[in-house]
Amino acid sequence: MSSPLPTAEQVTSALAGVKDPEIGRPITELGMVKSVEIAAGGLVRVGVYLTVAGCPMRETITRSVTEAVAALPGVSGVRVALDVMSEEQRQALQGQLRGGQPEPVIPFAQPSSLTRVYAVASGKGGVGKSSVTVNVAAALAAAGHKVGVIDADIYGHSVPRMLGVTGRPTPVENMIMPPSAHDVKVISMGMFTTGNTPIVWRGPMLHRAMQQFLADVFWGDLDYLLLDLPPGTGDIAISLAQLLPNAELLVVTTPQLAAAEVAERAGAIVTQTRQRLTGVIENMSYLVCPHCGEQTDVFGSGGGEAVAATLSQLTGTTVPLLGQVPIDTRLREGGDNGMPLVVSDPSSPAALQLVKIADSLGSRRRGLAGRMLGLSPR
């Protein structure tokens, strides 16, 4: 005789044994179970919410749900349908993970904060965004400013190596003291992992990491805070807009058309987040011959100017091209050796452009001028 069909309660009980692979808690507790349907022939359909559309653990979750439900008597088959949480559901999940505790206080997001926050973004990888970030930060510090850098590229963290940071964060009471190099304070997920271990996280975990970097790290009274964002407009960019609405965007591109078009999309996010777009930086602009000094446009020309013009038209404000950084093998070597070019050879053509960019940012005095006040007309 065939076993009787399982009930919805039995299926839900079985799903309670399935834990989210990242958070380590049952998916039933996290609100990830969307629906349970049991057909006459014993086929069970389970709807599951993912936190983000591109969830790297979707196959693991699907397999775990299938195995848990299939083990019930009377089940002839399991079909798992994946959906994506709404923004409200994600916020509720984040609140649940905090255990009902209030949002941690981020000093840079307070109206009284005088720290200039620059988020360095790019549309695609490989344009030298991290090299620009560490060199601009080192140039600002060399000019006497108090500077911090957050390596917000959780998956592809590289800032500690490029800045030559060898120390580890130090816990003091409930705060984390960040290590520093070249007078730049730095925090990165690479400081909390062993070796070259990959990080496989989704939206809520990424958001929480950003909160901790901003609220739990003791930065002191910074003049400038730079964030090296991952390429594109994904979870980190969205979390940053929520956590630091006053952050200003710096877009890095290369001269070639393909990179410029993608960079325009990265900069256009400010039309939705209402952040300020400070400028465009063109990296790998040209190659200077070491023998005759002639410039060669290896990747074409005009990409940075085109991005600045398009974003100016899109935002209705003037978005300047802050600098054009030439190709220099020493810039790459400095990143590998932890010695930014602006420190090792500040008179080189690439370093001069990077110092120029830093000067344009550093000339903006600390203050509340130009800050969003959070007011709206009645």
Side-chain angles (χ1 to χ4, degrees), residues 131-215:
S131 295
V132 168
T133 302
V134 300
N135 275 275
V136 169
L140 285 169
H145 301 292
K146 292 170 287 187
V147 185
V149 173
I150 293 180
D151 190 352
D153 193 349
I154 303 297
Y155 299 137
H157 47 79
S158 59
V159 169
R161 169 181 286 278
M162 300 182 80
L163 264 176
V165 178
T166 57
R168 292 280 179 174
T170 304
V172 177
E173 295 297 332
N174 294 323
M175 298 295 292
I176 300 171
M177 308 299 291
S180 63
H182 308 295
D183 294 323
V184 177
K185 295 180 180 180
V186 183
I187 199 71
S188 170
M189 188 54 65
M191 300 173 178
F192 301 92
T193 59
T194 303
N196 204 26
T197 305
I199 296 173
V200 187
W201 284 354
R202 291 172 289 154
M205 299 293 285
L206 296 173
H207 186 89
R208 177 58 180 154
M210 285 298 298
Q211 278 185 319
Q212 289 184 305
F213 284 171
L214 291 166

Coordinates of all heavy atoms in Angstrom, one line a residue, residues 131-215:
S131 N 43.6 50.8 -8.1 CA 44.9 51.5 -8.2 C 44.7 53.0 -8.0 O 45.4 53.7 -7.3 CB 45.6 51.3 -9.5 OG 45.9 49.9 -9.7
V132 N 43.6 53.5 -8.6 CA 43.3 54.9 -8.5 C 42.9 55.2 -7.0 O 43.4 56.3 -6.5 CB 42.1 55.3 -9.4 CG1 41.6 56.7 -9.1 CG2 42.6 55.3 -10.9
T133 N 42.1 54.4 -6.4 CA 41.7 54.6 -5.0 C 42.9 54.7 -4.1 O 43.0 55.7 -3.3 CB 40.8 53.5 -4.6 OG1 39.6 53.4 -5.4 CG2 40.3 53.7 -3.1
V134 N 43.8 53.7 -4.1 CA 44.9 53.7 -3.1 C 45.9 54.9 -3.4 O 46.4 55.5 -2.4 CB 45.6 52.4 -3.1 CG1 44.7 51.3 -2.8 CG2 46.3 52.1 -4.5
N135 N 46.1 55.2 -4.7 CA 47.0 56.3 -4.9 C 46.4 57.7 -4.6 O 47.1 58.6 -4.1 CB 47.4 56.3 -6.4 CG 48.6 55.3 -6.7 OD1 49.7 55.7 -6.5 ND2 48.2 54.1 -7.0
V136 N 45.1 57.9 -4.8 CA 44.5 59.1 -4.4 C 44.5 59.2 -2.9 O 44.8 60.3 -2.4 CB 43.1 59.2 -5.0 CG1 42.3 60.4 -4.4 CG2 43.1 59.4 -6.5
A137 N 44.2 58.1 -2.2 CA 44.2 58.2 -0.8 C 45.6 58.5 -0.2 O 45.7 59.3 0.7 CB 43.7 56.8 -0.2
A138 N 46.6 57.9 -0.8 CA 48.0 58.1 -0.3 C 48.4 59.5 -0.6 O 49.1 60.2 0.2 CB 49.0 57.1 -1.0
A139 N 48.0 60.1 -1.8 CA 48.3 61.5 -2.1 C 47.6 62.4 -1.2 O 48.2 63.5 -0.7 CB 47.9 61.8 -3.6
L140 N 46.4 62.2 -0.8 CA 45.7 63.0 0.2 C 46.4 63.0 1.5 O 46.5 64.0 2.2 CB 44.2 62.5 0.3 CG 43.3 62.9 -0.8 CD1 41.9 62.1 -0.7 CD2 43.0 64.4 -0.9
A141 N 46.8 61.8 1.9 CA 47.5 61.7 3.2 C 48.8 62.4 3.2 O 49.2 63.0 4.2 CB 47.7 60.2 3.6
A142 N 49.5 62.3 2.0 CA 50.8 63.0 1.9 C 50.7 64.5 2.0 O 51.6 65.2 2.4 CB 51.5 62.5 0.6
A143 N 49.5 65.0 1.6 CA 49.2 66.4 1.7 C 48.8 66.9 3.1 O 48.5 68.0 3.2 CB 48.1 66.8 0.6
G144 N 48.8 65.9 4.0 CA 48.5 66.3 5.4 C 47.1 66.0 5.8 O 46.7 66.4 6.9
H145 N 46.3 65.4 5.0 CA 44.9 65.1 5.4 C 44.8 63.8 6.1 O 45.6 62.9 6.0 CB 44.0 65.0 4.1 CG 44.0 66.3 3.3 ND1 43.4 67.5 3.8 CD2 44.5 66.6 2.1 CE1 43.6 68.4 2.9 NE2 44.2 67.9 1.8
K146 N 43.8 63.6 6.9 CA 43.5 62.4 7.7 C 42.6 61.6 6.8 O 41.4 62.0 6.5 CB 42.9 62.7 9.0 CG 43.8 63.3 10.0 CD 43.2 63.8 11.3 CE 42.3 65.1 11.0 NZ 41.8 65.6 12.2
V147 N 43.0 60.4 6.4 CA 42.4 59.6 5.3 C 42.1 58.2 5.8 O 43.0 57.6 6.4 CB 43.2 59.6 4.0 CG1 42.5 58.9 2.9 CG2 43.6 61.0 3.6
G148 N 41.0 57.6 5.4 CA 40.6 56.2 5.6 C 40.2 55.6 4.3 O 39.6 56.3 3.4
V149 N 40.4 54.3 4.1 CA 39.9 53.6 2.9 C 39.2 52.4 3.4 O 39.7 51.6 4.2 CB 41.1 53.2 2.0 CG1 40.6 52.3 0.9 CG2 41.7 54.4 1.4
I150 N 38.0 52.2 2.8 CA 37.2 50.9 3.0 C 37.3 50.1 1.7 O 36.9 50.6 0.6 CB 35.8 51.2 3.4 CG1 35.7 51.8 4.8 CG2 34.9 49.9 3.3 CD1 34.3 52.2 5.2
D151 N 37.8 48.9 1.8 CA 37.8 48.0 0.6 C 36.4 47.4 0.6 O 36.2 46.3 1.1 CB 38.9 46.9 0.8 CG 39.1 46.1 -0.4 OD1 38.4 46.3 -1.4 OD2 40.1 45.3 -0.4
A152 N 35.5 48.1 -0.1 CA 34.1 47.6 -0.2 C 33.9 46.5 -1.3 O 32.8 46.0 -1.4 CB 33.2 48.8 -0.5
D153 N 35.0 46.2 -2.0 CA 34.9 45.1 -2.9 C 35.1 43.8 -2.2 O 36.2 43.2 -2.1 CB 35.9 45.2 -4.0 CG 35.7 44.3 -5.2 OD1 34.9 43.4 -5.1 OD2 36.4 44.5 -6.3
I154 N 34.0 43.3 -1.6 CA 34.0 42.2 -0.6 C 34.6 40.9 -1.3 O 35.4 40.2 -0.8 CB 32.7 41.9 0.0 CG1 32.1 43.1 0.7 CG2 32.7 40.7 0.9 CD1 32.9 43.6 1.9
Y155 N 34.1 40.7 -2.6 CA 34.6 39.5 -3.3 C 36.0 39.6 -3.8 O 36.7 38.6 -3.8 CB 33.6 39.2 -4.5 CG 32.2 38.9 -4.1 CD1 31.1 39.5 -4.8 CD2 31.9 38.1 -3.0 CE1 29.8 39.3 -4.5 CE2 30.5 37.9 -2.6 CZ 29.5 38.5 -3.4 OH 28.2 38.3 -3.1
G156 N 36.3 40.8 -4.3 CA 37.6 41.0 -5.0 C 38.5 41.9 -4.2 O 39.2 42.8 -4.8
H157 N 38.6 41.8 -2.9 CA 39.4 42.7 -2.1 C 40.9 42.7 -2.5 O 41.5 41.7 -2.6 CB 39.2 42.4 -0.6 CG 39.4 40.9 -0.3 ND1 40.6 40.3 -0.2 CD2 38.5 40.0 -0.1 CE1 40.4 39.1 0.1 NE2 39.2 38.8 0.2
S158 N 41.5 43.9 -2.7 CA 42.9 44.0 -3.1 C 43.6 45.2 -2.4 O 44.8 45.3 -2.6 CB 43.0 44.1 -4.6 OG 42.3 45.2 -5.0
V159 N 42.9 46.0 -1.7 CA 43.4 47.2 -1.2 C 44.6 47.0 -0.2 O 45.6 47.7 -0.2 CB 42.3 48.1 -0.6 CG1 42.9 49.3 0.3 CG2 41.4 48.7 -1.7
P160 N 44.5 46.0 0.8 CA 45.6 45.8 1.7 C 46.9 45.6 1.0 O 47.9 46.2 1.4 CB 45.1 44.6 2.5 CG 43.6 44.7 2.5 CD 43.3 45.2 1.1
R161 N 46.9 44.7 0.0 CA 48.2 44.5 -0.7 C 48.7 45.7 -1.4 O 49.9 46.1 -1.4 CB 48.0 43.3 -1.7 CG 49.2 43.2 -2.7 CD 49.0 42.1 -3.7 NE 49.1 40.8 -3.1 CZ 50.3 40.2 -2.9 NH1 51.4 40.8 -3.2 NH2 50.4 39.0 -2.3
M162 N 47.8 46.4 -2.1 CA 48.2 47.6 -2.9 C 48.7 48.7 -2.0 O 49.5 49.6 -2.5 CB 47.0 48.0 -3.8 CG 46.5 47.0 -4.7 SD 45.2 47.5 -5.8 CE 46.1 48.4 -7.0
L163 N 48.2 48.8 -0.8 CA 48.7 49.9 0.1 C 49.8 49.4 1.0 O 50.4 50.2 1.8 CB 47.5 50.4 1.0 CG 46.8 51.7 0.5 CD1 45.6 52.0 1.4 CD2 47.8 52.9 0.4
G164 N 50.1 48.1 0.9 CA 51.2 47.6 1.8 C 50.8 47.4 3.2 O 51.7 47.5 4.1
V165 N 49.5 47.2 3.5 CA 49.1 47.0 4.9 C 49.4 45.6 5.3 O 49.0 44.6 4.7 CB 47.6 47.2 5.0 CG1 47.1 47.0 6.4 CG2 47.2 48.7 4.6
T166 N 50.2 45.4 6.4 CA 50.5 44.1 6.9 C 49.9 43.8 8.2 O 49.9 42.7 8.7 CB 52.1 44.0 7.0 OG1 52.6 45.1 7.9 CG2 52.7 44.1 5.6
G167 N 49.4 44.9 8.9 CA 48.8 44.7 10.3 C 47.4 44.1 10.2 O 46.8 44.1 9.1
R168 N 46.9 43.7 11.3 CA 45.6 43.2 11.4 C 44.7 44.1 12.3 O 45.3 44.8 13.1 CB 45.6 41.8 12.1 CG 46.2 40.7 11.2 CD 45.2 40.3 10.2 NE 45.8 39.2 9.3 CZ 45.1 38.6 8.4 NH1 43.8 38.9 8.2 NH2 45.6 37.7 7.6
P169 N 43.4 44.2 12.1 CA 42.6 45.0 12.9 C 42.7 44.5 14.4 O 42.8 43.4 14.7 CB 41.2 44.8 12.3 CG 41.4 44.3 10.9 CD 42.7 43.5 11.0
T170 N 42.6 45.5 15.3 CA 42.7 45.2 16.7 C 41.4 45.5 17.4 O 40.9 46.6 17.3 CB 43.8 46.1 17.4 OG1 45.0 45.9 16.7 CG2 44.0 45.7 18.8
P171 N 40.8 44.5 18.0 CA 39.5 44.7 18.8 C 39.8 45.4 20.1 O 40.6 45.0 20.9 CB 38.9 43.3 18.9 CG 40.1 42.4 18.9 CD 41.1 43.0 18.0
V172 N 39.0 46.5 20.3 CA 39.1 47.2 21.6 C 37.7 47.4 22.1 O 37.0 48.2 21.5 CB 39.9 48.5 21.5 CG1 39.9 49.2 22.8 CG2 41.3 48.3 21.0
E173 N 37.3 46.7 23.2 CA 35.9 46.7 23.6 C 35.0 46.3 22.5 O 35.1 45.3 21.9 CB 35.6 48.1 24.2 CG 36.4 48.5 25.4 CD 36.1 47.6 26.6 OE1 35.0 47.0 26.7 OE2 37.0 47.4 27.5
N174 N 34.1 47.2 22.1 CA 33.2 46.9 21.0 C 33.6 47.6 19.7 O 32.8 47.7 18.8 CB 31.8 47.4 21.4 CG 31.2 46.6 22.6 OD1 31.5 45.4 22.7 ND2 30.5 47.3 23.4
M175 N 34.8 48.1 19.6 CA 35.3 48.7 18.4 C 36.4 48.0 17.8 O 37.1 47.2 18.4 CB 35.7 50.2 18.7 CG 34.6 51.1 19.3 SD 33.3 51.4 18.0 CE 34.2 52.4 16.8
I176 N 36.7 48.3 16.5 CA 37.8 47.7 15.8 C 38.7 48.8 15.4 O 38.3 49.7 14.7 CB 37.3 46.9 14.5 CG1 36.3 45.8 14.9 CG2 38.4 46.3 13.7 CD1 35.6 45.2 13.7
M177 N 40.0 48.6 15.7 CA 41.0 49.6 15.4 C 41.6 49.2 14.0 O 42.2 48.1 13.9 CB 42.1 49.7 16.4 CG 41.5 49.9 17.8 SD 40.6 51.5 18.0 CE 41.9 52.7 17.8
P178 N 41.5 50.0 13.0 CA 42.0 49.6 11.7 C 43.5 49.8 11.6 O 44.1 50.8 12.1 CB 41.3 50.5 10.7 CG 41.1 51.8 11.5 CD 40.8 51.3 12.9
P179 N 44.2 48.9 10.9 CA 45.6 49.1 10.6 C 45.8 50.3 9.6 O 44.9 50.7 9.0 CB 46.1 47.8 10.1 CG 44.9 47.2 9.4 CD 43.7 47.7 10.3
S180 N 47.1 50.7 9.4 CA 47.3 51.8 8.5 C 48.6 51.6 7.8 O 49.5 50.8 8.2 CB 47.3 53.1 9.2 OG 48.4 53.2 10.2
A181 N 48.8 52.2 6.6 CA 50.0 52.2 5.9 C 50.0 53.5 5.1 O 49.0 54.0 4.6 CB 50.1 51.1 4.9
H182 N 51.2 54.2 5.0 CA 51.4 55.4 4.3 C 50.4 56.5 4.9 O 49.8 57.3 4.2 CB 51.2 55.3 2.8 CG 52.0 54.2 2.2 ND1 53.4 54.3 2.2 CD2 51.7 53.0 1.7 CE1 53.9 53.2 1.6 NE2 52.9 52.4 1.3
D183 N 50.1 56.4 6.2 CA 49.3 57.3 6.9 C 47.8 57.2 6.5 O 47.0 58.1 6.7 CB 49.7 58.8 6.8 CG 51.1 59.0 7.5 OD1 51.3 58.4 8.5 OD2 51.9 59.8 6.9
V184 N 47.4 56.1 5.9 CA 46.1 55.8 5.5 C 45.5 54.7 6.3 O 46.1 53.6 6.3 CB 46.0 55.5 4.0 CG1 44.5 55.2 3.6 CG2 46.5 56.6 3.2
K185 N 44.4 54.9 7.0 CA 43.7 53.8 7.8 C 42.9 52.9 6.8 O 42.3 53.5 5.9 CB 42.8 54.4 8.8 CG 43.5 55.1 9.9 CD 42.5 55.7 10.9 CE 43.3 56.5 12.0 NZ 42.3 57.0 13.1
V186 N 43.0 51.6 7.0 CA 42.4 50.7 6.0 C 41.6 49.6 6.7 O 42.1 49.1 7.7 CB 43.5 50.1 5.1 CG1 42.8 49.2 4.0 CG2 44.3 51.1 4.4
I187 N 40.5 49.2 6.1 CA 39.8 48.0 6.6 C 39.3 47.3 5.4 O 38.9 47.9 4.3 CB 38.5 48.4 7.5 CG1 38.1 47.2 8.3 CG2 37.4 48.9 6.7 CD1 39.1 46.8 9.4
S188 N 39.4 46.0 5.4 CA 39.1 45.1 4.3 C 38.7 43.7 4.8 O 39.1 43.3 5.8 CB 40.3 45.0 3.3 OG 40.1 44.0 2.3
M189 N 37.8 43.1 4.0 CA 37.4 41.7 4.4 C 38.6 40.8 4.3 O 38.6 39.7 4.9 CB 36.2 41.3 3.4 CG 35.6 40.0 3.9 SD 35.0 39.9 5.6 CE 33.7 41.2 5.5
G190 N 39.5 41.1 3.5 CA 40.7 40.3 3.4 C 41.5 40.2 4.7 O 42.3 39.3 4.8
M191 N 41.3 41.1 5.6 CA 41.9 41.0 6.9 C 41.2 40.1 7.8 O 41.8 39.8 8.9 CB 41.9 42.4 7.5 CG 42.6 43.5 6.7 SD 42.4 45.2 7.4 CE 43.4 46.1 6.3
F192 N 40.1 39.5 7.5 CA 39.3 38.6 8.3 C 39.2 37.2 7.8 O 38.5 36.4 8.3 CB 37.9 39.2 8.6 CG 37.9 40.6 9.2 CD1 37.9 41.7 8.4 CD2 38.0 40.7 10.6 CE1 37.9 43.0 9.0 CE2 38.0 42.0 11.2 CZ 38.0 43.1 10.4
T193 N 39.9 37.0 6.7 CA 39.9 35.6 6.1 C 41.3 35.0 6.1 O 42.3 35.7 6.3 CB 39.4 35.7 4.6 OG1 40.3 36.5 3.9 CG2 38.0 36.2 4.5
T194 N 41.3 33.7 6.0 CA 42.6 32.9 6.0 C 43.0 32.7 4.6 O 42.3 32.2 3.7 CB 42.4 31.6 6.7 OG1 41.9 31.8 8.0 CG2 43.7 30.9 6.8
G195 N 44.3 33.1 4.3 CA 44.8 32.9 3.0 C 44.0 33.6 1.9 O 43.7 34.7 2.1
N196 N 43.8 32.9 0.8 CA 43.0 33.4 -0.3 C 41.6 32.8 -0.4 O 41.1 32.6 -1.5 CB 43.8 33.2 -1.6 CG 43.4 34.2 -2.7 OD1 43.0 35.3 -2.4 ND2 43.6 33.8 -3.9
T197 N 41.0 32.6 0.8 CA 39.7 32.0 0.9 C 38.7 32.9 0.2 O 38.6 34.0 0.5 CB 39.3 31.7 2.3 OG1 40.3 31.0 3.0 CG2 38.0 31.0 2.4
P198 N 37.9 32.3 -0.7 CA 36.8 33.1 -1.4 C 35.7 33.4 -0.4 O 35.4 32.6 0.5 CB 36.4 32.2 -2.5 CG 36.7 30.8 -2.1 CD 37.9 30.9 -1.3
I199 N 35.0 34.5 -0.6 CA 33.8 34.9 0.2 C 32.6 34.7 -0.7 O 32.5 35.3 -1.8 CB 34.0 36.3 0.7 CG1 35.2 36.4 1.6 CG2 32.7 36.8 1.4 CD1 35.5 37.8 2.0
V200 N 31.7 33.9 -0.2 CA 30.5 33.6 -1.0 C 29.3 34.1 -0.2 O 28.7 33.4 0.6 CB 30.3 32.1 -1.3 CG1 29.2 31.9 -2.3 CG2 31.6 31.6 -2.0
W201 N 29.0 35.4 -0.3 CA 27.9 36.0 0.4 C 26.8 36.6 -0.5 O 27.1 36.8 -1.6 CB 28.4 37.1 1.3 CG 29.2 36.6 2.5 CD1 29.3 35.3 3.0 CD2 29.9 37.4 3.5 NE1 30.0 35.3 4.1 CE2 30.4 36.6 4.5 CE3 30.1 38.8 3.6 CZ2 31.2 37.0 5.5 CZ3 30.9 39.3 4.6 CH2 31.4 38.4 5.6
R202 N 25.7 36.8 0.1 CA 24.6 37.5 -0.6 C 24.2 38.8 0.1 O 24.8 39.2 1.0 CB 23.4 36.5 -0.7 CG 23.6 35.3 -1.6 CD 22.5 34.3 -1.4 NE 22.5 33.7 -0.1 CZ 21.4 33.2 0.4 NH1 20.3 33.2 -0.1 NH2 21.5 32.6 1.6
G203 N 23.1 39.4 -0.4 CA 22.7 40.7 0.1 C 22.8 41.0 1.5 O 23.5 42.0 2.0
P204 N 22.0 40.3 2.4 CA 22.0 40.7 3.8 C 23.4 40.6 4.5 O 23.8 41.5 5.3 CB 21.1 39.7 4.5 CG 20.2 39.2 3.4 CD 21.1 39.3 2.1
M205 N 24.2 39.6 4.1 CA 25.5 39.5 4.7 C 26.5 40.6 4.2 O 27.3 41.2 5.0 CB 26.1 38.2 4.3 CG 25.3 37.0 4.9 SD 25.4 36.9 6.7 CE 27.0 36.3 6.9
L206 N 26.3 41.0 2.9 CA 27.1 42.1 2.4 C 26.8 43.4 3.0 O 27.6 44.2 3.4 CB 26.9 42.2 0.9 CG 27.4 41.0 0.0 CD1 26.9 41.2 -1.4 CD2 28.9 40.9 0.1
H207 N 25.5 43.6 3.2 CA 25.0 44.8 3.9 C 25.5 44.9 5.3 O 25.9 46.0 5.7 CB 23.4 44.8 3.9 CG 22.8 46.1 4.4 ND1 22.5 47.1 3.5 CD2 22.4 46.5 5.6 CE1 22.0 48.1 4.2 NE2 21.9 47.7 5.5
R208 N 25.5 43.8 6.0 CA 25.9 43.8 7.4 C 27.4 44.1 7.5 O 27.9 44.8 8.4 CB 25.6 42.4 8.0 CG 26.1 42.3 9.5 CD 25.6 43.3 10.4 NE 26.1 43.2 11.7 CZ 26.2 44.1 12.6 NH1 25.8 45.4 12.3 NH2 26.6 43.9 13.8
A209 N 28.2 43.5 6.5 CA 29.6 43.8 6.5 C 29.9 45.3 6.3 O 30.8 45.9 6.9 CB 30.3 43.0 5.4
M210 N 29.2 45.9 5.4 CA 29.3 47.3 5.2 C 29.0 48.1 6.4 O 29.7 49.1 6.8 CB 28.5 47.8 4.0 CG 29.0 47.4 2.6 SD 30.6 48.1 2.3 CE 30.2 49.9 2.3
Q211 N 27.9 47.7 7.1 CA 27.5 48.4 8.4 C 28.7 48.3 9.4 O 29.0 49.3 10.1 CB 26.3 47.8 8.9 CG 25.0 48.3 8.3 CD 23.8 47.7 9.0 OE1 23.8 46.5 9.4 NE2 22.7 48.5 9.3
Q212 N 29.3 47.2 9.5 CA 30.3 47.0 10.5 C 31.5 47.8 10.1 O 32.2 48.4 11.0 CB 30.7 45.5 10.6 CG 29.6 44.7 11.3 CD 30.0 43.2 11.5 OE1 30.4 42.5 10.5 NE2 30.0 42.8 12.7
F213 N 31.9 47.8 8.8 CA 33.0 48.6 8.4 C 32.8 50.1 8.7 O 33.8 50.8 9.1 CB 33.3 48.5 6.9 CG 33.9 47.2 6.5 CD1 34.0 46.8 5.2 CD2 34.4 46.3 7.5 CE1 34.6 45.6 4.8 CE2 35.0 45.1 7.2 CZ 35.1 44.8 5.8
L214 N 31.6 50.6 8.6 CA 31.3 52.0 8.8 C 31.0 52.3 10.3 O 31.4 53.4 10.7 CB 30.1 52.4 8.0 CG 30.3 52.4 6.4 CD1 29.0 52.4 5.7 CD2 31.2 53.5 6.0
A215 N 30.4 51.5 11.0 CA 29.9 51.8 12.4 C 30.8 51.2 13.5 O 31.0 51.8 14.5 CB 28.5 51.3 12.6

